[in-house]
Amino acid sequence: MTTPRSVALERLAYTLAAPVLAVAPNLYPDSPVNQVVQLAGAAGIGGWFLAAKSDEPGAGRKILRWSPLVLAAAIDVTAKTTTGFGPYWLDGLLAATWAAAGYLVMPFSRHTRRRHRPALAAPVPQPAPAEVLEEPVAQPDDGADLLTRDARMLWEQAGMPGRTYIVKATRHPGQQHDMTILLRASETGRPITGLTEAAVAAPFAVHSGDVVLAEVAIQPGRQGGPGWLEAHITPDANQRRRKAPTDQERWTDKVGSPKGGAPGSELVHKTRDSVRGVTFYRAKMADATTTPRIDLAKVCRGLGLPEDDSCVFVLVDGIEFLISAFDKPPLSAIFPATRELLTPDAKGMYVCGYTITGQPVKNMVFQHDKNAARHGLILGVSRSGKTQFFAIDMAAMSLAGQVVWLSTVRKDEKTSTLGKYIDRQGSNALWMARSLRAAKALCEIRAEMPWPHDGEAHDYKPGDARCPYRQLNVFADEFMTAAQDGDFGEFIQKDGDDLTVTGLKYGIGFNPAGQSPFAHNGFSTEMKDNLRQNSRPSIFNMGSPGATRKAAEGTMENAYDVPTIPARYAQQEGSAIERAMRGEADPENGVSTGGVAIMVMDNGRAVLMRSLYADFDTDLAELFPDDVNHLTDHEISELEKRGLWFDWNEPVRPGEFWPEPKEDDGDDGGSRRRGGGGGKGGGGRGSKGGSRQEVVSARKALEAIKSLTDA
């Protein structure tokens, strides 16, 4: 056998280097030879470290490859530190051992590449061994049909992918190429592993996307489990699915897919209501433990619908949800208010509007389950429909036999019209302060009013004919502006807070309206919490979808998905890109969203509705009862005793809200402003006259500072 040249050269190098390792450190300790050897050993140690740290195979070969350099450096250091050639010529023995090991093992040349041996100079031709034919897996002749035999032939030509064989091939009805093949592991008791869609598609010359692998269920007369597998090969069906998919297929591919608008969902059914011009897509989550995550824009693109907030809506109910696609904006319709709709039932519920699906939305005039009056919270910017909602709410309350007061910051046509059908109405901050102060005093009066059946005082019980007084509903429009009034703002805010806390048990409900439900705009946290818990807040357009959503979330315990109210409903016409290329203006087909509101129901769910329309240009007498409801004579007489019942449009009476200044206080009127507590009416915050006050607490100090600075 001829020795390869690289082996011979390596053996020669070991033989020549051994004497140098033994002699150089002893005769020439400072020779550069020693430094070169030690540097080579350091490189070998680095190679060891990298080989041990690497996750790739062959770490042992790499360590063995670097070992001659490391051992040579070790011998050089040993020879340098021993005295002379060491005891018993240790340096020479170590060098000779190193050379012998390298001569026999030859790590570098033999382990440089895996499974590699240098070829001999002249290879001797060897006779070819006799070819051993492997017997194919015997498959019994089971009388299979032509399709199964053809499929088996293609499968055997492909080398039996996944070590399986075809048990049966079944043609799909009405298809030329689509079929299902039943596979079984060629070895009994072995599961099918490593079989992919591509391995199945290759023998039949179809795309891997046209193959679906499925488990085989155990059936009577046939086994199942990991050793069996079904492969559905459907090139024809997939081609038809790409060109003309069914509703179920489109939903699965475009909406329920991981990248769709509602991943993990499946379509239950699609229905069409031609009368209302709406198509419903009812879907549910395939996994009952998951929550729907719906991107409405992606759903519209997947279903081929226009991405239009005014025509496409989503309603989520647990794991199910409903996509409603209207031909025209459903909330642009007008729903006229009628006395029949506004008449409350025995539980105090009346229809105040309709949702996008045509369902009636009900509001309450009292809380039947809590035996109490109800509060109200109406939010929205100007011209959003608040006053329209006032009209139907007041009409329902009047039809239920209740008393209504309405105060606004400024006079306008609609509120003046409503004043004809209710007990009292005024249009300035002073009137609002007086109405709230009188309502607060009514709590004390009603707390002492005896009931005729037993002569004792009781809390208000709605619907109880024995109750000696009627429910009072105090409306305060633009409450936010009034609460910031320089003269009467603090009285309005304080009495409003007190009324929301104590009014319900005495049959008095407070209904503020404004453009913000937050504390810095007059709605204290205490007021907002009481209003939210004892009403169904109605949020109209707040100026932008973001502001509307924020206002709605501010009235909800848990932030559910809040619907969007755009500034106008405008259906998309044509292509915006084509209009831009032609230089044409966008069509002006917007429809006002006035009257569209989000009502927060008792369970915290937000419902988008269109409130009923009360036409102020016609006679509203058809909505209100014939007779206006008023307070009882006893209540009015008690209010008169307290100096609170008179024409509230009068100028401020002396000492009504703050004490009149004494003669030595000067005539600047500074001590009159924001005094509070004086006069018969009460309702203020204590005297702030010109007399010197003794400061005994932080609150007294704050009041003194306000008095001095006229704050």
Side-chain angles (χ1 to χ4, degrees):
M1 181 178 178
T2 306
T3 303
R5 182 178 300 175
S6 60
V7 176
L9 292 176
E10 187 176 357
R11 288 176 175 176
L12 179 61
Y14 291 146
T15 304
L16 296 177
V20 176
L21 293 177
V23 175
N26 292 295
L27 299 182
Y28 308 100
D30 299 329
S31 175
V33 175
N34 299 320
Q35 299 177 2
V36 172
V37 173
Q38 293 174 10
L39 289 175
I45 294 175
W48 279 5
F49 177 77
L50 294 177
K53 189 177 181 181
S54 175
D55 295 334
E56 298 180 358
R61 295 195 318 275
K62 294 178 182 179
I63 293 174
L64 189 60
R65 187 183 308 162
W66 290 102
S67 59
L69 299 179
V70 179
L71 295 176
I75 293 172
D76 184 82
V77 173
T78 302
K80 189 175 180 180
T81 54
T82 56
T83 304
F85 284 93
Y88 304 102
W89 286 79
L90 179 61
D91 298 348
L93 292 175
L94 291 176
T97 303
W98 177 81
Y103 189 90
L104 297 175
V105 179
M106 291 172 292
F108 187 80
S109 61
R110 291 293 180 90
H111 301 278
T112 300
R113 286 180 289 177
R114 189 179 182 184
R115 293 187 300 273
H116 171 71
R117 295 294 183 272
L120 297 178
V124 178
Q126 299 291 334
E131 184 177 358
V132 179
L133 298 178
E134 295 183 2
E135 294 184 2
V137 178
Q139 185 167 347
D141 185 7
D142 53 359
D145 55 16
L146 179 60
L147 177 63
T148 302
R149 292 199 301 269
D150 291 343
R152 287 174 178 174
M153 181 181 65
L154 295 175
W155 198 254
E156 292 171 0
Q157 290 176 356
M160 311 291 285
R163 297 165 64 188
T164 61
Y165 67 83
I166 297 177
V167 178
K168 184 176 179 58
T170 305
R171 180 87 64 188
H172 290 187
Q175 301 294 335
Q176 182 179 1
H177 303 99
D178 293 0
M179 62 179 173
T180 298
I181 58 175
L182 179 62
L183 301 173
R184 181 179 180 181
S186 58
E187 302 171 10
T188 305
R190 182 185 66 83
I192 298 176
T193 58
L195 187 64
T196 62
E197 288 83 356
V200 177
F204 300 98
V206 297
H207 194 274
S208 60
D210 297 333
V211 177
V212 177
L213 301 179
E215 295 182 356
V216 177
I218 300 176
Q219 299 178 3
R222 190 184 73 185
Q223 297 180 352
W228 294 73
L229 201 63
E230 265 187 351
H232 303 278
I233 306 171
T234 55
D236 294 342
N238 285 0
Q239 185 177 7
R240 191 270 314 156
R241 185 169 184 165
R242 287 188 289 268
K243 293 182 179 179
T246 63
D247 296 330
Q248 294 282 353
E249 293 169 348
R250 180 188 291 272
W251 186 279
T252 301
D253 297 339
K254 303 295 184 180
V255 179
S257 62
K259 294 184 179 180
S265 64
E266 56 186 19
L267 183 65
V268 177
H269 59 75
K270 172 186 174 183
T271 56
R272 172 72 181 175
D273 189 338
S274 301
V275 177
R276 288 187 290 167
V278 57
T279 302
F280 295 111
Y281 298 86
R282 183 175 182 177
K284 67 177 183 179
M285 302 304 295
D287 185 357
T289 62
T290 58
T291 302
R293 294 182 295 108
I294 302 171
D295 187 335
L296 192 57
K298 294 181 71 174
V299 171
C300 292
R301 290 193 292 269
L303 297 177
L305 303 173
E307 301 175 36
D308 194 346
D309 287 334
S310 60
C311 291
V312 183
F313 303 89
V314 60
L315 175 65
V316 180
D317 184 13
I319 65 170
E320 290 190 323
F321 59 94
L322 179 69
I323 303 293
S324 305
F326 290 84
D327 299 338
K328 296 181 180 180
L331 297 181
S332 61
I334 302 298
F335 304 104
T338 63
R339 180 176 292 193
E340 181 182 2
L341 294 174
L342 298 180
T343 302
D345 57 17
K347 294 184 177 181
M349 307 300 293
Y350 73 96
V351 176
C352 64
Y354 290 92
T355 65
I356 56 173
T357 58
Q359 297 173 268
V361 180
K362 291 189 175 182
N363 198 5
M364 53 189 172
V365 295
F366 54 78
Q367 299 184 85
H368 180 268
D369 58 330
K370 295 183 180 180
N371 260 345
R374 65 127 235 216
H375 290 316
L377 178 61
I378 304 97
L379 303 174
V381 296
S382 300
R383 315 304 298 175
S384 61
K386 295 196 306 292
T387 310
Q388 289 281 348
F389 194 77
F390 278 178
I392 62 173
D393 207 17
M394 293 177 183
M397 293 172 176
S398 300
L399 291 171
Q402 300 176 2
V403 183
V404 179
W405 293 350
L406 170 61
S407 60
T408 58
V409 175
R410 297 175 182 84
K411 186 176 182 179
D412 59 63
E413 177 187 4
K414 291 182 179 180
T415 54
S416 299
T417 302
L418 289 174
K420 302 176 183 178
Y421 305 99
I422 60 177
D423 185 33
R424 284 202 155 190
Q425 182 266 332
S427 303
N428 52 56
L430 172 60
W431 202 100
M432 186 182 296
R434 285 169 168 171
S435 66
L436 292 175
R437 185 183 57 179
K440 180 181 175 182
L442 274 176
C443 294
E444 302 175 1
I445 296 172
R446 292 183 172 185
E448 299 175 356
M449 286 183 66
W451 287 43
H453 67 284
D454 60 359
E456 299 292 334
H458 301 278
D459 290 342
Y460 174 66
K461 293 179 177 60
D464 192 339
R466 301 172 301 176
C467 185
Y469 50 82
R470 301 175 184 267
Q471 179 175 319
L472 172 64
N473 302 282
V474 181
F475 284 79
D477 193 14
E478 299 299 339
F479 178 78
M480 175 186 69
T481 303
Q484 297 174 352
D485 182 78
D487 292 328
F488 308 103
E490 67 172 323
F491 300 103
I492 292 173
Q493 185 169 356
K494 180 182 181 300
D495 290 343
D497 286 344
D498 293 343
L499 199 59
T500 56
V501 176
T502 61
L504 294 180
K505 66 174 63 177
Y506 305 111
I508 300 176
F510 183 46
N511 300 266
Q515 300 184 15
S516 171
F518 302 106
H520 61 276
N521 289 323
F523 285 88
S524 66
T525 302
E526 183 181 49
M527 175 185 288
K528 187 178 67 175
D529 289 343
N530 279 280
L531 293 175
R532 181 181 63 191
Q533 291 293 329
N534 296 283
S535 71
R536 289 186 170 180
S538 301
I539 298 92
F540 292 82
N541 196 332
M542 298 295 291
S544 68
T548 306
R549 187 177 299 106
K550 183 179 180 182
E553 291 176 352
T555 62
M556 300 164 66
E557 291 184 359
N558 298 314
Y560 289 75
D561 292 332
V562 180
T564 300
I565 303 179
R568 284 178 175 81
Y569 285 143
Q571 287 185 270
Q572 185 175 356
E573 293 186 0
S575 171
I577 296 178
E578 293 179 358
R579 287 196 296 269
M581 294 176 64
R582 293 192 298 264
E584 297 178 355
D586 289 335
E588 298 180 2
N589 59 351
V591 179
S592 172
T593 56
V596 178
I598 299 170
M599 177 170 281
V600 182
M601 309 305 285
D602 298 337
N603 57 0
R605 184 169 60 91
V607 175
L608 188 64
M609 71 163 187
R610 176 98 186 198
S611 63
L612 299 181
Y613 177 70
D615 191 358
F616 280 82
D617 295 333
T618 61
D619 191 2
L620 295 181
E622 297 181 357
L623 304 180
F624 286 84
D626 297 334
D627 298 328
V628 178
N629 302 314
H630 302 285
L631 298 179
T632 62
D633 295 338
H634 174 75
E635 292 172 309
I636 294 176
S637 63
E638 290 295 323
L639 289 175
E640 288 177 344
K641 292 179 183 179
R642 291 168 168 79
L644 301 177
W645 191 259
F646 54 91
D647 184 2
W648 292 339
N649 290 308
E650 294 180 5
V652 180
R653 293 183 173 185
E656 182 180 356
F657 286 95
W658 43 74
E660 284 299 300
K662 297 180 181 180
E663 295 182 358
D664 56 352
D665 288 338
D667 55 357
D668 58 350
S671 61
R672 295 177 63 253
R673 299 190 59 197
R674 299 177 177 247
K680 300 178 182 179
R685 296 190 176 182
S687 176
K688 294 182 185 177
S691 61
R692 188 177 183 88
Q693 300 180 19
E694 182 180 358
V695 179
V696 295
S697 65
R699 183 175 179 180
K700 290 289 186 180
L702 181 60
E703 291 178 352
I705 292 173
K706 286 183 178 180
S707 177
L708 291 174
T709 60
D710 194 24

